Amino acid sequence: MSGMEILIDEIDGRLHAAVVSKGKLHDLYVDTKHMGESWSSLYLGKVTKIDKKLDAAIVDLGNGLSGFLPAKHVHQPGGYSSEARSGIAEKLKTGDMLLVQVKAEAKKASQHENHKVPRLTTRIYIIGHHLVYCPLASHVTMSRQIERPEVLSIGERINAKGGWILQEHAVEAEPDVLEIEARQLAAFWQKIMGAKDASDGRPRLLKSGINAIYRVMSDYGAEGIDHIYCGTKKVFDMMTQWCVTFDPPLANSKRLRLFRPERTAQQLFDMYDVSTDIETLGAPTVHLEGGGSLIIEHTHALTTIDVNQGNASSNVEANEAAALEAARQVRLRNLNGAILIDFIGMEERWRVQKLLDSLTDAFKGDPAQPQVHGFTRLGIAEVTRKRRTGTYLERISG
């Protein structure tokens, strides 16, 4: 038993998927009400402007929506790694129609900046359970967490055209399961191309972004999950449909369960006090066990996390607790971009290095692949985290 469970429910019209590890909320996935504009959405777009200064194109996506396509994310024949390093003007021209995918969702407008449009890519990917299909690529790559040499043989058994990314949990899957999934993803790609060819040549949405069920199962895999609880019959049917496509045995397994309340008005997210944790995600102050606190503040350029000792017995104890909780809050709030963590000062270099190691370990396994860059001369830890979907607050306010 891994001690990890997934709770899925619909709250205020949005699908929520909570990952609980050993009775504590570990990660959270939330859908927007408009999935067409979300991460991984596929569009037939039209280039409306070439901006040489930004080395990017502005792409009309239809229905008044536009996106930003940097030159480095424009795929060219010859494979991703061998693309010529030419500018946007050499790759595209105004009026070009092309298939694009949302690489990073738009940022909401704030008092400091205008609304930012989605960032796009033409390096298309179709996300499954164990596999990610890259129809324009020609190679097999694996999650960098995979180190077992026997996984190398998996790629040889996948015969569909295109490239493949094997998720970390793919190493546990049977070869026939991977082959079936590969054929399903390749067939899905053909449906998308059929929809593109049948269009009237105008910018339009071809495929909405994947919902919270697909995202959580792709990131965490079913194999390492003890139970999956669904809050309603509707959500249970959605999860069952995912199982039919990617993991048929799970559909009839006791690991997949419809939530049965033990008392009147009890909700699924009342388990493990998940609702309480979610309600605090908009608060700037997070209290630490043993004393101390985090103060989380956002600017238009970055997020800062200030560590306060409070009534913790020592700065060392407060810093260690803060490293774990800061990584957890970054995951739950889905913070991205530049993140600065101002720990309590320590003079001994070995303690500073130990804290850095603790912070790095705390971020391991985060699907958004954060990177800990070390401490500045002022003793502030620098972290960057990729933006895929919007922050928790952006998603529930949309």
Side-chain angles (χ1 to χ4, degrees):
M1 301 288 282
S2 67
M4 187 169 287
E5 298 176 320
I6 294 177
L7 316 182
I8 307 172
D9 206 354
E10 197 169 40
I11 303 173
D12 296 330
R14 298 179 179 85
L15 198 62
H16 288 58
V19 181
V20 177
S21 179
K22 298 178 181 179
K24 189 173 184 178
L25 183 60
H26 175 78
D27 208 342
L28 182 66
Y29 295 72
V30 181
D31 284 349
T32 63
K33 289 187 176 181
H34 306 287
M35 291 300 290
E37 302 173 13
S38 62
W39 175 68
S40 80
S41 299
L42 274 165
Y43 288 88
L44 176 61
K46 181 178 181 179
V47 177
T48 58
K49 181 180 179 181
I50 297 295
D51 193 322
K52 294 184 179 180
K53 290 184 178 179
L54 296 177
D55 199 22
I58 303 300
V59 181
D60 178 12
L61 303 176
N63 292 326
L65 183 66
S66 60
F68 182 80
L69 176 60
K72 65 180 181 180
H73 292 311
V74 177
H75 174 73
Q76 291 183 311
Y80 295 173
S81 60
S82 60
E83 290 174 3
R85 295 184 176 276
S86 52
I88 192 67
E90 285 73 44
K91 295 182 177 183
L92 297 172
K93 64 181 183 298
T94 301
D96 281 350
M97 301 294 297
L98 68 169
L99 193 65
V100 292
Q101 190 164 33
V102 175
K103 179 180 177 64
E105 292 179 2
K107 289 187 177 182
K108 301 297 182 182
S110 72
Q111 60 179 335
H112 303 290
E113 59 183 353
N114 295 325
H115 181 87
K116 291 187 176 180
V117 299
R119 295 182 70 87
L120 307 174
T121 181
T122 65
R123 301 176 181 179
I124 307 301
Y125 48 89
I126 309 297
I127 299 173
H129 179 207
H130 302 97
L131 305 171
V132 177
Y133 181 35
C134 308
L136 304 181
S138 58
H139 57 281
V140 175
T141 62
M142 280 151 278
S143 165
R144 54 187 176 185
Q145 283 80 19
I146 295 179
E147 297 180 354
R148 295 171 58 184
E150 58 266 33
V151 79
L152 296 173
S153 63
I154 293 177
E156 300 172 2
R157 294 191 288 270
I158 301 176
N159 298 317
K161 294 181 180 179
W164 303 89
I165 299 173
L166 281 73
Q167 304 279 42
E168 181 180 0
H169 49 270
V171 69
E172 305 295 337
E174 295 296 329
D176 59 334
V177 172
L178 295 177
E179 292 175 14
I180 291 172
E181 183 175 331
R183 288 195 293 270
Q184 289 173 330
L185 295 179
F188 191 61
W189 168 246
Q190 291 304 316
K191 290 182 179 179
I192 293 173
M193 292 303 291
K196 172 179 175 290
D197 294 339
S199 70
D200 56 5
R202 296 180 181 179
R204 55 170 293 197
L205 174 69
L206 298 177
K207 172 188 169 294
S208 295
I210 57 175
N211 66 24
I213 290 175
Y214 277 69
R215 297 199 306 277
V216 71
M217 299 308 292
S218 175
D219 285 345
Y220 284 91
E223 291 79 2
I225 303 299
D226 292 341
H227 299 101
I228 300 171
Y229 292 95
C230 300
T232 65
K233 182 61 166 57
K234 175 185 175 182
V235 173
F236 183 83
D237 290 343
M238 294 171 66
M239 186 66 224
T240 301
Q241 184 57 52
W242 180 92
C243 292
V244 170
T245 304
F246 295 111
D247 196 344
L250 180 60
N252 299 312
S253 168
K254 292 182 179 180
R255 296 166 58 212
L256 177 59
R257 301 179 178 182
L258 177 62
F259 174 65
R260 307 289 185 184
E262 298 178 353
R263 62 180 186 274
T264 304
Q266 183 186 23
Q267 301 295 316
L268 173 60
F269 277 16
D270 292 336
M271 293 175 62
Y272 310 112
D273 287 330
V274 169
S275 295
T276 302
D277 278 340
I278 292 177
E279 289 172 359
T280 66
L281 294 182
T285 303
V286 179
H287 296 286
L288 303 174
E289 294 183 6
S293 62
L294 304 179
I295 307 297
I296 303 174
E297 296 183 322
H298 307 280
T299 71
H300 65 285
L302 50 82
T303 298
T304 63
I305 302 177
D306 185 42
V307 180
N308 294 319
Q309 183 173 343
N311 60 357
S313 60
S314 69
N315 58 356
V316 174
E317 177 183 315
N319 280 339
E320 288 291 333
L324 294 175
E325 188 61 28
R328 177 172 175 263
Q329 289 295 323
V330 166
R331 260 193 327 271
L332 296 179
R333 299 177 187 228
N334 200 23
L335 305 179
N336 45 65
I339 302 167
L340 301 182
I341 308 175
D342 188 5
F343 288 100
I344 303 167
M346 297 186 296
E347 296 183 0
E348 300 93 334
R349 288 189 178 181
W350 69 271
R351 289 195 184 278
V352 174
Q353 183 59 51
K354 183 180 179 182
L355 177 60
L356 184 62
D357 293 341
S358 296
L359 184 64
T360 302
D361 288 342
F363 276 112
K364 284 183 178 178
D366 186 326
Q369 302 177 0
Q371 295 187 19
V372 180
H373 300 281
F375 285 94
T376 68
R377 291 183 178 181
L378 296 177
I380 299 174
E382 295 180 303
V383 179
T384 54
R385 188 171 184 266
K386 291 183 178 180
R387 181 180 177 88
R388 300 189 303 180
T389 61
T391 66
Y392 171 76
L393 291 180
E394 287 175 332
R395 297 214 120 202
I396 64 171
S397 64

